[in-house]
Structures are given as structure tokens and as C-alpha cells.
């Protein structure tokens, strides 16, 4: 059997794809802008003046926005393609190997506490309805829940909104406080994105926010201090 224990534990409600795409896009875009800002600020690229810095950040933001939207849509199409392939494979097995599917059903529901005549009755009812049997085998055996799969364009829209939010808050911070505003804005976006994902996945809020901020701080610190060391070695 392909995955008889795939749903042995309760996994809760999956986060909607467009929410996940928005949270990831906002977080990654904000971090990328932060690292780029640090790089430009600590290198000779910033010597051309503030206008040069803003131009570089805006160009980078536009390119990153297109990338996040396109990537999210492509990943969505890939997931749907795989889902359709798995459905067709399972339908073929149900049509050509009914005896094997029956034994898999008995094993699945037997593991959930059904036994004796009740187990036989449940298996007979499911085997009598092709569509219901297909849905049960996809969800109970393979752990694939059809309602989780959203349209790729909806996920792409979510990614685009998330990226725009990350760009807007980070650049607004830079405009309000040129010295530290982008840093603060980026960390606000990263923390909020982690909190959003934790809430929708019903995970613990504080650890999610702390771990996201800690990882962002580590990446930022590596970039900042590496560039500082490099500048000193050049001088």
C-alpha cells in the first residue's frame, strides 16, 4: 500500500494556498530588500547618492514581484498536475484491482477501530460507490484533501499581494527613517508573516514569530558583518 498511515494522526486544517503564498512572499521580499539595502549602503554602490539607492531598490522590487507571482502560479499548476495524475492512477487501480482496494479499505478502517460485521458493512458501502471510494482512498490512504488545492491564479494573486505589502512597508520605513526604517519595516513584515501562518495553521504564535525573526536576524547579521569585514580588509 502507498501510504496507509498517511492520516494516522490529526493534522488539523491546512492553510489556504493563497494565504501561504502571501505570507511567504511578504517575508521573502522584505528580507531580500533588507539584504540589498545593507549591501548597497555598505559598498561603493551607495556613493552615487540616495536617488541611486531608491532606483536600485525599486527595480529589484519590481523584478522580485514578477518572480514571486510567476513562481507561485507555476508551483500551483505543478501541484494540480500531480493531483490529477494521482487521481487517474487511483481510479485505474479501483477499476482493475478491486480485491486489493477492498483489502486496503479493511486495513484502513480496521486500524481505526472497526471490526467484525460493522467493518464488513462499511467496506461494502464504500466499494459500492465509485466516487466515494475514490475520495476515501485519496484522503485516507494518500492523505490528499481536494479542498486544499486552490486555483494557481488565486495563489499567484496571494503571492502578489504579499510581495506588494512587503515592498510597501519596507520602502515606507526607508522613506520615513532613512537610517533604520527599512530594517524595522522588514522585521515587522517578517514577524507578521510568521504570525499569520501560525494562526491559520493553529500553531503556537510566539515561537513562530520568534523563530522567523531570529532567522532573519541571523541572515541580516551574516550579510552586514561580512560586508563590514570585507570593507576593512580592502581599506
Amino acid at each position: 500500500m502507498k501510504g496507509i498511515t498517511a492520516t494516522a494522526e490529526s493534522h488539523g486544517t491546512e492553510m489556504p494556498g493563497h494565504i501561504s503564498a502571501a505570507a511567504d512572499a511578504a517575508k521573502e521580499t522584505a528580507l531580500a530588500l533588507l539584504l540589498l539595502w545593507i549591501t548597497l549602503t555598505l559598498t561603493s554602490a551607495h556613493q552615487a547618492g540616495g536617488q541611486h539607492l531608491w532606483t536600485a531598490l525599486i527595480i529589484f522590487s519590481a523584478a522580485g514581484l514578477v518572480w514571486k507571482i510567476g513562481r507561485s502560479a507555476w508551483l500551483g499548476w505543478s501541484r494540480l498536475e500531480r493531483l490529477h495524475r494521482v487521481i487517474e492512477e487511483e481510479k485505474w487501480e479501483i477499476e482493475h484491482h478491486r480485491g486489493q482496494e477492498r483489502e486496503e479499505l479493511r486495513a484502513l478502517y480496521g486500524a481505526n477501530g472497526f471490526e467484525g460485521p460493522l467493518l464488513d458493512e462499511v467496506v461494502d458501502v464504500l466499494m459500492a460507490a465509485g466516487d466515494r471510494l475514490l475520495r476515501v482512498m485519496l484522503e485516507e490512504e494518500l492523505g490528499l484533501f481536494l479542498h486544499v488545492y486552490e486555483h494557481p491564479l488565486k495563489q499567484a494573486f496571494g503571492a502578489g499581494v504579499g510581495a506588494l505589502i512587503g515592498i510597501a512597508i519596507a520602502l515606507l520605513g526607508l522613506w520615513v527613517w532613512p537610517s533604520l526604517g527599512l530594517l524595522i519595516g522588514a522585521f515587522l513584515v517578517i514577524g507578521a508573516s510568521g504570525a499569520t501562518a501560525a494562526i491559520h495553521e493553529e500553531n503556537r504564535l510566539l515561537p513562530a514569530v520568534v523563530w522567523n525573526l531570529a532567522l532573519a536576524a541571523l541572515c541580516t547579521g551574516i550579510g552586514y558583518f561580512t560586508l563590514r569585514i570585507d570593507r576593512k580588509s580592502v581599506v
Side-chain angles (χ1 to χ4, degrees):
M1 287 183 286
K2 304 171 196 169
I4 195 169
T5 60
T7 56
E9 300 179 358
S10 176
H11 296 288
T13 303
E14 296 287 344
M15 180 166 54
H18 66 286
I19 300 296
S20 175
D24 284 340
K27 180 168 32 180
E28 293 177 5
T29 302
L31 180 60
L33 281 172
L34 176 57
L35 294 176
L36 178 62
W37 173 70
I38 291 174
T39 302
L40 293 175
T41 302
L42 294 180
T43 60
S44 59
H46 184 51
Q47 299 303 316
Q51 185 63 41
H52 175 83
L53 176 64
W54 273 96
T55 301
L57 291 174
I58 291 173
I59 292 174
F60 180 85
S61 298
L65 175 64
V66 173
W67 165 253
K68 294 302 298 184
I69 293 174
R71 179 177 179 275
S72 183
W74 173 248
L75 289 177
W77 284 115
S78 298
R79 292 184 68 203
L80 279 182
E81 184 177 351
R82 175 182 175 274
L83 176 64
H84 291 156
R85 184 178 69 253
V86 171
I87 290 175
E88 291 301 319
E89 291 174 354
E90 193 63 36
K91 285 177 63 177
W92 188 90
E93 289 191 6
I94 290 174
E95 294 171 358
H96 295 85
H97 299 288
R98 295 190 65 82
Q100 179 181 341
E101 295 298 307
R102 185 180 185 86
E103 291 304 314
E104 291 180 0
L105 276 177
R106 290 185 63 85
L108 281 169
Y109 283 91
N112 289 327
F114 292 85
E115 57 184 16
L118 179 60
L119 176 60
D120 294 332
E121 182 179 351
V122 170
V123 171
D124 289 339
V125 169
L126 292 176
M127 292 296 296
D131 291 342
R132 184 185 302 170
L133 176 59
L134 175 61
R135 190 179 191 90
V136 167
M137 297 307 289
L138 288 173
E139 295 183 355
E140 297 292 337
E141 183 189 16
L142 302 178
L144 297 175
F145 297 88
L146 302 183
H147 66 275
V148 174
Y149 290 80
E150 294 183 342
H151 195 282
L153 294 182
K154 187 175 182 180
Q155 296 184 49
F157 177 78
V161 171
L164 283 174
I165 291 174
I167 292 168
I169 295 177
L171 295 185
L172 177 62
L174 178 63
W175 181 70
V176 172
W177 191 3
S179 59
L180 291 176
L182 196 147
L183 174 67
I184 295 173
F187 271 75
L188 284 175
V189 171
I190 292 168
S193 298
T196 299
I199 291 171
H200 281 84
E201 292 175 342
E202 298 182 359
N203 291 334
R204 291 183 300 165
L205 181 61
L206 185 59
V209 174
V210 170
W211 274 104
N212 275 276
L213 292 177
L215 184 57
L218 177 62
C219 295
T220 304
I222 291 174
Y224 176 80
F225 289 109
T226 301
L227 285 169
R228 289 291 300 270
I229 293 172
D230 181 67
R231 287 189 66 193
K232 290 180 179 179
S233 62
V234 172
V235 174

